[in-house]
Amino acid sequence: MSSIDQRERMSQRRWTSKLQTRRAALLVATAAAVALTAGCGGSTTGSGEPTGSSAPQSTTAETTTGAPTTSPTQVTVSDDVAKQLCDIIEPQLSDWRVQGPTLGKISLNGSVHEWALRNGGINVQVLSDKGVVDRIMIAQCPDTHAEAIKALELSDLASGIAF
């Protein structure tokens, strides 16, 4: 076996190992999101309002501009939480360019759910308002947002969030 073949096999093993690690992280994030979703079920009053401590927590933090939102389904977060999303996405851009849009979208989903889980477990709210990812990134890190859309070949990041 030539040294070139050995190098190619070692390179392929490293790439496969990285991919398996990312898949495992994505599975953990998905399991956490499913567990969180299952844990958010609560009883409701006759008017449909949640009751008891098992009701989902609403996010009433300031928006990235500090203005209150008018839609009750629109997710709002503080500037610090918004910056965290940019900090999670930005280092992944080069991987997404190399891996391509299919694997990049999987990584985007895992990253968004990890961010939502770390910041109050707002995964369910993010799924009902996927546009929050675009709004946050356009306000906080427009260059990263543009690069992510380009690398993932999407019209917006919301369309890349599947679960």
Side-chain angles (χ1 to χ4, degrees):
M1 179 180 295
S2 72
S3 63
I4 293 174
D5 289 338
Q6 288 175 335
R7 278 188 250 142
E8 286 180 17
R9 285 186 180 186
M10 289 189 67
S11 176
Q12 185 176 13
R13 280 189 216 131
R14 277 189 227 117
W15 184 83
T16 303
S17 177
K18 286 180 183 179
L19 183 61
Q20 288 171 342
T21 301
R22 288 188 178 151
R23 283 183 182 158
L26 180 61
L27 286 174
V28 169
T30 302
V34 169
L36 180 65
T37 303
C40 286
S43 60
T44 59
T45 64
S47 66
E49 292 297 317
T51 62
S53 61
S54 63
Q57 298 293 317
S58 63
T59 54
T60 56
E62 294 179 4
T63 62
T64 55
T65 61
T69 60
T70 57
S71 171
T73 60
Q74 192 174 43
V75 178
T76 57
V77 297
S78 69
D79 288 342
D80 289 340
V81 171
K83 184 179 179 326
Q84 287 177 17
L85 180 61
C86 292
D87 292 344
I88 289 171
I89 300 293
E90 195 275 329
Q92 297 183 58
L93 294 175
S94 61
D95 289 341
W96 295 352
R97 286 184 203 104
V98 172
Q99 294 169 347
T102 302
L103 291 177
K105 290 173 193 171
I106 293 169
S107 181
L108 170 68
N109 274 283
S111 298
V112 168
H113 282 290
E114 176 188 350
W115 166 79
L117 189 61
R118 277 199 258 160
N119 291 289
I122 59 171
N123 301 65
V124 174
Q125 292 92 331
V126 169
L127 286 175
S128 66
D129 180 21
K130 296 175 184 177
V132 69
V133 174
D134 289 293
R135 290 191 307 273
I136 287 171
M137 292 188 68
I138 288 168
Q140 291 288 322
C141 51
D143 293 340
T144 300
H145 180 261
E147 289 297 316
I149 285 175
K150 183 178 177 183
L152 299 175
E153 299 176 4
L154 295 169
S155 58
D156 60 10
L157 294 178
S159 62
I161 299 172
F163 54 90

